[in-house]
């Protein structure tokens, strides 16, 4: 293999329990977002747009969809003769088999993969965030400071800081302390889960951590503190732009809603920074006479007879006459009958909603986002009534 | 299917779509919000899993080649076989062949290298979803020399005038081929025959100074060959004039046509990575087809909108076809217009065509 300056390792093995039914049989990075994408499209497209052509994708939980989705990587222009995208599931070795025990362990078990490319730097990414970022600009920053590790950070409101890994830095952004979800945060610089390491330095610490039985083998909890203890030079890279952790049903819904304003904070129509995805090859969307569509995004293959406002429709969704959908996310190939009302809900793919159903109307807890799938009882017993 | 190979012959097709075919051939004309005319025949061939497909082009094929690439979109980027784009480049001073026979003569290797024993030929102007496997089976069962595909058209339209017609008897045999205007059995420009017979006939015709295969071989020998007829009953339209293009495009807004052409058998096209279409609060859309990547803030009625089109606030589009990446500025009004790619229409402009004769705006104009 030809030597590479930087290899990306994308952590895509997470289950994402807080996404409830959406990840029942799907890894979190494969969850749908934004009318046509899956979450993993964002880091993969960022790599492609940043000119990083070698990406290892580490899978573990429910890998089938992810593996077949990524395929040879051609949709992200990552089907390369030298490099490209590699799916890396946990595997058996001479001395037995183990699941990935943590984020750092996943990289530790793929040392040989990274070593093939003999890279100067390694980019560690997670597959559960929505953002557009030029990793190459971050690499330049990392090189200018001759850092052993650079962590990309985003400024969060103080009251939310305790939800994140918080970095405490000197004035020149050199990190002296890392606190995972601190009760009393000292700063508002939250880690975005995007790291660039000097491979040589990371390699040494991974080997050390791998032997340590007491370690949880996590980048935030173990590797970063270990490196700080060893007096390595760690820098924060301030990122300005849109970034969302979509690990919960609420945050996934919110991030979808963020796309709906007239000037959305995340521009998906930028020809210079396309978000690539596997094309479902559907015909053009049809908006029927009498339909109303406003403040929404709708994908190809949809047939809309009813009213859709402030909502996201994925491909192949059908909305019957007289139906009204507000503040909702409708995933692929959902069939919605006639005179249905849906408010503030996520409808999981392939769900069929019968005529005259009401979902999320007149309920007590207005803040809760309803998650409806094929087997969902909610719409019948708790929140839906058949007229 | 290893036994069958495909030929798409564009040589006899005239580029009669005015501004739309100034710089591209008819097969490359955008159609149905996100497709080009060639996509329909290629998708039929993809579904029949043909061993290899040869595309004979002569003029203005730059945009067609750009669209087709290596054939990946139709699963035709194969190690063996797949899609071959065969331009007419040839400099043999002793070559006496003419017309599409010249193409066939110049590319004998393409035919000889393929293992397939049978060839299905098609043009690109008849939009249909003929099951080519079923056609092939029919051809074998009938033991015919040639099988022609036709559709019985109840209401003949002006665009059918130039189409060939076939007389069919009760045994599904073609008894005559002609061009009577009020005859209802319209020939779809698709036929199947054995490769061996095809090559023999090509050689014989060139030796006798002929030039077009269908006219000089099939039509002339219609009483000598055993010609079978295969009836097709699905969606069908002919795009051979600006009027037929406009009319058949807007007829896609009828659910039967939309489902018949797109949903029953998916049609493949070159993939673009556009975001889904965004409708702003001020949008008002009715009875329209829209592709991805659009941002709609104005009013769209009874229209076909291609990828990446922007319709600003207060703009109004009625009975029109707006192709890729056009920008319609605030309060502009468009009625009965076909707008080619990349047109920029400034604020407050008004463009009106007639419903039978749409106003066509050439590619990349600024108005």
């Amino acid at each position: 293999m030809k030597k590479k300056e930087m290899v990306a390792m994308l952590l895509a093995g997470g289950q994402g329990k807080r996404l409830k039914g959406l990840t029942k049989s799907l890894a979190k990075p494969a969850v749908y977002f934004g009318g046509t994408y899956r979450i993993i499209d964002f880091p993969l497209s960022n790599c492609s747009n940043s000119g990083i052509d070698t990406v290892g994708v580490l899978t573990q939980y429910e890998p089938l969809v992810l593996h077949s989705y990524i395929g040879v990587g051609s949709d992200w222009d990552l089907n390369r003769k030298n490099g490209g995208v590699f799916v890396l599931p946990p595997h058996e070795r001479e001395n037995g088999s183990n699941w990935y025990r943590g984020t750092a362990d996943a990289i530790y078990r793929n040392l040989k993969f990274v070593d093939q490319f003999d890279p100067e730097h390694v980019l560690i990414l997670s597959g559960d965030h929505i953002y557009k970022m030029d990793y190459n600009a971050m690499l330049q920053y990392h090189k200018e400071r001759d850092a052993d590790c650079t962590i990309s950070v985003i400024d969060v409101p103080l009251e939310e800081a305790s939800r994140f890994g918080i970095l405490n830095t000197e004035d020149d952004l050199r990190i002296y302390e890392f606190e995972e979800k601190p009760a009393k945060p000292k700063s508002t610089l939250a880690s975005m889960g995007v790291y660039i390491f000097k491979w040589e330095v990371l390699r040494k610490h991974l080997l050390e951590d791998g032997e340590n039985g007491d370690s949880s083998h996590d980048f935030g909890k173990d590797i970063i503190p270990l490196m700080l203890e060893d007096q390595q030079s760690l820098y924060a890279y301030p990122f300005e732009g849109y970034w969302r952790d979509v690990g919960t049903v609420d945050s996934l819904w919110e991030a979808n809603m963020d796309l709906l304003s007239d000037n959305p904070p995340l521009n998906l129509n930028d020809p210079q920074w396309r978000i690539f995805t596997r094309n479902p090859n559907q015909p053009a969307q049809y908006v029927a006479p009498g339909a109303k569509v406003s403040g929404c995004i709708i994908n190809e293959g949809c047939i809309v007879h009813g009213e859709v406002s402030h909502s996201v429709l994925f491909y192949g969704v059908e909305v019957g006459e007289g139906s009204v959908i507000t503040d909702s996310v409708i995933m692929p190939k959902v069939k919605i009958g006639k005179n249905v009302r849906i408010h503030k809900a996520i409808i999981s793919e392939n769900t069929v909603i019968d005529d005259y159903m009401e979902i999320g109307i007149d309920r007590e807890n207005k803040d809760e986002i309803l998650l409806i799938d094929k087997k969902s009882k909610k719409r019948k017993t708790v929140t839906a009534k058949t007229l | 299917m290893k036994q069958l190979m495909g030929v798409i012959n564009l040589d006899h097709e005239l580029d009669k779509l005015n501004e739309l075919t100034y710089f591209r051939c008819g097969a490359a004309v955008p159609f149905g919000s996100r497709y080009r005319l060639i996509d329909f025949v290629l998708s039929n061939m993809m579904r029949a899993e043909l061993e290899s497909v040869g595309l004979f082009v002569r003029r203005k094929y730059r945009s067609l080649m750009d669209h087709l690439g290596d054939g990946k979109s139709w699963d035709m980027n194969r190690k063996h076989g797949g899609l071959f784009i065969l331009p007419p480049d040839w400099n043999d001073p002793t070559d006496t062949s003419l017309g599409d026979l010249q193409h066939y003569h110049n590319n004998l290797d393409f035919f000889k290298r393929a293992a397939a024993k049978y060839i299905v030929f098609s043009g690109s102007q008849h939009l249909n979803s003929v099951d080519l496997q079923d056609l092939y089976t029919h051809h074998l069962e009938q033991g015919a020399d040639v099988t022609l595909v036709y559709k019985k058209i109840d209401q003949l339209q002006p665009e059918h005038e130039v189409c060939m017609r076939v007389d069919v008897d009760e045994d599904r045999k073609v008894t005559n081929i002609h061009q009577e205007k009020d005859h209802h059995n319209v020939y779809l420009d698709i036929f199947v025959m054995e490769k061996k017979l095809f090559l023999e006939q090509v050689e014989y015709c060139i030796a006798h100074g002929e030039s077009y295969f269908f006219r000089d071989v099939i039509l002339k020998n219609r009483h000598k060959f055993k010609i079978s007829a295969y009836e097709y009953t699905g969606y069908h339209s002919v795009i051979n004039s600006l009027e037929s293009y406009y009319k058949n495009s807007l007829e896609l807004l009828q659910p039967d046509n939309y489902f018949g052409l797109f949903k029953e058998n998916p049609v493949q096209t070159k993939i673009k990575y556009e975001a889904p279409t965004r409708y702003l609060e001020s949008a008002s859309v009715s009875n329209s087809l829209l592709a991805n990547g659009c941002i709609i803030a104005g009013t769209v009625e009874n229209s076909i909108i291609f990828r990446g089109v922007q319709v600003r606030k207060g703009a109004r589009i009625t009975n029109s076809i707006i192709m890729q990446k056009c920008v319609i500025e605030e309060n502009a009004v468009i009625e009965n217009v076909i707008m080619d790619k990349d047109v920029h229409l400034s604020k407050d402009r008004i463009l009106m065509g007639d419903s039978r004769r749409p106003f066509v705006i050439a590619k990349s104009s600024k108005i």
Side-chain angles (χ1 to χ4, degrees):
Chain A
M1 294 280 182
K2 208 169 133 192
K3 182 177 168 66
K4 297 276 174 187
E5 184 177 28
M6 183 157 79
V7 167
M9 298 294 272
L10 174 50
L11 302 162
Q15 181 180 355
K17 279 192 188 128
R18 293 173 303 156
L19 284 169
K20 297 174 188 166
L22 291 173
T23 50
K24 217 179 282 172
S25 55
L26 198 65
K28 180 154 73 165
V31 167
Y32 290 106
F33 174 81
T36 193
Y37 309 99
R38 293 181 188 264
I39 298 170
I40 197 170
D41 287 332
F42 288 83
L44 282 178
S45 300
N46 286 342
C47 283
S48 180
N49 286 321
S50 303
I52 295 162
D53 62 9
T54 309
V55 184
V57 180
L58 300 114
T59 60
Q60 177 155 293
Y61 176 76
E62 287 286 347
L64 174 64
V65 171
L66 266 183
H67 287 199
S68 55
Y69 182 70
I70 293 168
V72 296
S74 56
D75 284 305
W76 302 269
D77 203 17
L78 291 170
N79 52 335
R80 300 304 179 85
K81 282 265 185 249
N82 179 37
V85 66
F86 298 80
V87 177
L88 306 168
H91 49 272
E92 202 171 356
R93 293 232 186 108
E94 197 184 19
N95 51 6
S97 57
N98 266 313
W99 295 106
Y100 294 147
R101 293 169 295 175
T103 51
D105 188 52
I107 308 295
Y108 170 66
R109 286 173 195 281
N110 287 287
L111 280 181
K112 275 191 228 162
F113 168 77
V114 181
D115 279 342
Q116 294 177 97
F117 301 99
D118 187 22
E120 295 293 317
H121 310 280
V122 169
L123 171 68
I124 310 288
L125 301 168
S126 54
D128 40 13
H129 301 136
I130 302 295
Y131 64 114
K132 300 197 293 184
M133 180 175 175
D134 185 350
Y135 301 135
N136 198 36
M138 181 173 168
L139 176 64
Q140 296 312 316
Y141 177 97
H142 171 78
K143 278 158 64 181
E144 277 163 25
R145 277 156 191 75
D146 193 25
D148 295 310
C149 169
T150 302
I151 303 173
S152 127
V153 293
I154 189 155
D155 220 359
V156 293
L158 188 62
E159 59 271 22
E160 284 180 30
S162 52
R163 283 172 44 204
F164 298 94
I166 296 295
L167 296 165
N168 301 319
T169 66
E170 314 281 1
D171 289 345
D172 67 351
L173 293 172
R174 188 175 169 136
I175 300 164
Y176 65 85
E177 191 181 23
F178 180 91
E179 293 181 291
E180 185 71 33
K181 296 179 185 159
K184 282 186 185 158
K186 290 177 213 148
S187 94
T188 54
L189 293 182
S191 165
M192 291 165 57
V194 176
Y195 310 94
I196 293 178
F197 291 95
K198 270 189 191 152
W199 175 234
E200 201 190 318
V201 178
L202 177 63
R203 200 177 188 286
K204 182 175 146 272
H205 287 90
L206 284 176
L207 288 170
E208 210 173 297
D209 177 74
E211 300 300 316
N212 181 356
D214 299 331
S215 171
S216 54
H217 310 289
D218 187 84
F219 275 103
K221 289 190 201 116
D222 308 290
I223 299 291
I224 303 298
L226 190 64
M227 285 179 73
L228 284 169
E229 214 173 280
D230 286 358
Q231 304 292 314
Q232 309 281 8
S233 76
L234 284 79
Y235 280 89
Y237 173 71
F239 173 76
E240 280 169 18
Y242 183 88
W243 180 83
R244 277 280 183 287
D245 183 323
V246 287
T248 65
V249 173
D250 285 7
S251 63
L252 182 70
W253 178 84
E254 277 163 24
N256 274 290
M257 294 298 118
D258 284 345
L259 300 171
L260 300 175
S261 65
D262 281 5
N263 286 304
L266 181 72
N267 179 11
L268 296 172
N269 296 83
D270 179 3
Q272 305 304 320
W273 204 274
R274 280 182 198 282
I275 304 303
F276 303 106
T277 183
R278 182 160 279 200
N279 193 299
N281 189 51
Q282 294 274 318
Q285 54 193 269
Y286 175 61
V287 182
K292 278 187 188 158
V293 285
S294 69
C296 52
I297 61 177
I298 301 180
N299 197 0
E300 286 170 332
C302 289
I303 297 174
V304 182
H305 289 278
E307 287 180 32
V308 183
S309 69
H310 204 252
S311 295
V312 174
L313 265 58
F314 283 75
Y315 60 86
V317 170
E318 292 175 21
V319 180
E321 281 169 36
S323 290
V324 180
I325 298 172
T326 46
D327 297 349
S328 295
V329 178
I330 317 293
M331 290 193 171
K333 297 181 187 166
V334 170
K335 303 275 176 282
I336 295 168
K338 293 176 182 169
N339 302 306
V340 171
R341 289 183 71 196
I342 299 175
H343 179 65
K344 243 181 162 181
I346 296 177
I347 314 285
S348 184
E349 65 179 314
N350 290 317
T351 306
V352 176
I353 311 284
D354 298 334
D355 296 352
Y356 295 105
M357 281 297 228
E358 288 196 354
I359 293 169
I361 310 291
D362 298 336
R363 60 194 153 142
E364 285 159 25
N365 188 359
K366 292 262 185 207
D367 288 337
E368 185 202 10
I369 307 304
L370 286 173
L371 183 62
I372 306 291
D373 59 27
K374 268 182 268 185
K375 291 174 191 155
S376 196
K377 294 198 177 84
K378 266 186 187 167
R379 63 184 150 134
K380 282 178 189 152
T381 54
V382 185
T383 55
K385 56 182 178 193
T386 311
L387 293 178
Chain B
M1 192 159 49
K2 292 268 182 219
Q3 284 303 307
L4 189 61
M5 65 191 289
V7 168
I8 302 170
N9 180 13
L10 305 179
D11 205 50
H12 57 288
E13 294 182 353
L14 302 171
D15 302 334
K16 288 177 75 172
L17 270 61
N18 300 2
E19 284 88 344
L20 302 184
T21 46
Y22 280 175
F23 304 107
R24 54 168 94 87
C25 58
V29 168
F31 184 80
S33 256
R34 64 190 290 271
Y35 302 96
R36 291 185 186 247
L37 293 178
I38 190 82
D39 291 342
F40 298 90
V41 55
L42 277 175
S43 297
N44 289 348
M45 290 186 167
M46 172 185 157
R47 277 196 294 279
E49 297 173 22
L50 305 196
E51 184 205 18
S52 54
V53 173
L55 184 75
F56 292 102
V57 293
R58 194 179 290 275
R59 296 168 305 267
K60 296 189 278 193
Y61 51 81
R62 200 272 317 153
S63 70
L64 188 66
M65 287 183 56
D66 175 54
H67 179 71
L68 298 172
D70 63 353
K72 181 173 186 277
S73 301
W74 300 270
D75 202 20
M76 288 182 184
N77 56 337
R78 303 263 65 93
K79 283 263 185 259
H80 185 77
L83 180 68
F84 297 84
I85 302 167
L86 304 166
D89 181 37
W90 190 255
N91 288 305
D92 178 0
T94 64
D95 177 27
T96 57
S97 58
L98 296 163
D100 59 17
L101 289 174
Q102 186 182 37
H103 272 315
Y104 300 147
H105 173 260
N106 295 352
N107 291 287
L108 286 176
D109 280 356
F110 164 70
F111 293 99
K112 286 179 176 164
R113 275 183 195 151
K117 283 203 172 67
Y118 292 85
I119 313 175
V120 57
F121 293 80
S122 177
S124 73
Q125 293 178 328
H126 290 257
L127 302 191
N128 61 71
S129 48
V130 173
D131 180 343
L132 300 177
Q133 287 243 27
D134 195 51
L135 167 65
Y136 169 69
T137 313
H138 168 100
H139 178 77
L140 294 185
E141 280 169 4
Q142 297 290 310
D145 294 318
V146 184
T147 298
L148 306 182
V149 179
Y150 75 98
K151 176 163 173 157
K152 195 168 178 298
I153 309 281
D154 294 330
Q155 286 185 309
L156 289 164
Q157 304 289 325
E159 65 262 28
H160 293 118
E161 248 177 53
V162 297
C163 298
M164 303 297 288
R165 316 298 158 104
V166 288
D167 290 343
V168 180
D169 70 8
E170 58 271 28
D171 293 333
R172 298 198 281 181
K173 297 277 179 313
V174 173
T175 53
N176 209 347
I177 306 170
H178 52 79
Q179 224 167 339
E180 286 173 25
K181 281 179 187 160
D182 53 356
H183 197 284
H184 291 271
N185 290 346
V186 168
Y187 167 56
L188 257 56
D189 203 11
I190 301 173
F191 68 93
V192 187
M193 72 190 298
E194 200 181 357
K195 185 165 82 179
K196 189 162 157 272
L197 177 63
F198 167 75
L199 292 174
E200 279 167 15
Q201 291 296 326
V202 167
E203 207 174 309
Y204 179 86
C205 281
I206 291 170
H208 289 78
E210 311 281 28
S211 46
Y212 286 97
F213 190 83
F214 189 83
R215 187 188 69 193
D216 299 331
V217 176
I218 296 177
L219 196 60
K220 274 191 187 162
N221 293 307
R222 63 190 183 277
H223 301 299
K224 222 160 72 189
F225 281 155
K226 188 180 174 192
I227 303 180
S228 174
Y230 177 89
E231 190 181 2
Y232 167 71
T233 54
Y235 173 89
H236 170 247
S237 63
V238 190
I239 312 289
N240 55 10
S241 64
L242 202 62
E243 290 72 25
S244 60
Y245 173 81
Y246 181 66
K247 185 183 67 189
N248 287 303
S249 291
L250 292 187
E251 279 177 5
L252 292 175
L253 298 172
Q254 291 164 18
D256 282 356
N257 290 329
Y258 177 84
F259 279 92
L261 186 59
F262 301 127
K263 285 268 180 175
E264 278 169 19
N265 294 302
V267 182
Q268 309 289 326
T269 189
K270 180 184 176 183
I271 291 171
K272 295 276 169 71
Y273 295 89
E274 297 280 5
T277 281
R278 254 173 61 212
Y279 298 88
L280 307 193
E281 292 294 343
S282 54
S284 169
V285 179
S286 169
N287 199 37
S288 295
L289 283 181
L290 298 101
N292 272 356
C294 300
I295 300 177
I296 310 289
T299 303
V300 178
E301 283 168 349
N302 207 34
S303 294
I304 311 270
I305 310 291
F306 282 73
R307 294 189 264 218
V309 169
Q310 296 188 32
V311 181
R312 302 265 155 82
K313 236 179 179 171
R316 186 177 196 86
I317 297 170
T318 317
N319 300 330
S320 294
I321 298 167
I322 311 293
M323 294 191 191
Q324 298 95 300
K325 300 210 162 105
C326 286
V327 178
I328 316 298
E329 296 267 20
E330 285 166 27
N331 303 320
V333 176
I334 296 174
E335 208 173 312
N336 301 324
V337 168
I338 299 174
M339 195 176 266
D340 205 334
K341 287 169 72 172
D342 294 317
V343 172
H344 192 112
L345 185 65
S346 310
K347 268 186 181 178
D348 305 323
R349 292 296 146 92
I350 298 173
L351 296 179
M352 296 266 184
D354 183 83
S355 61
R356 278 151 304 170
R357 195 161 268 272
F359 187 21
V360 186
I361 314 290
K363 194 174 157 180
S364 304
S365 312
K366 280 205 163 36
I367 300 168

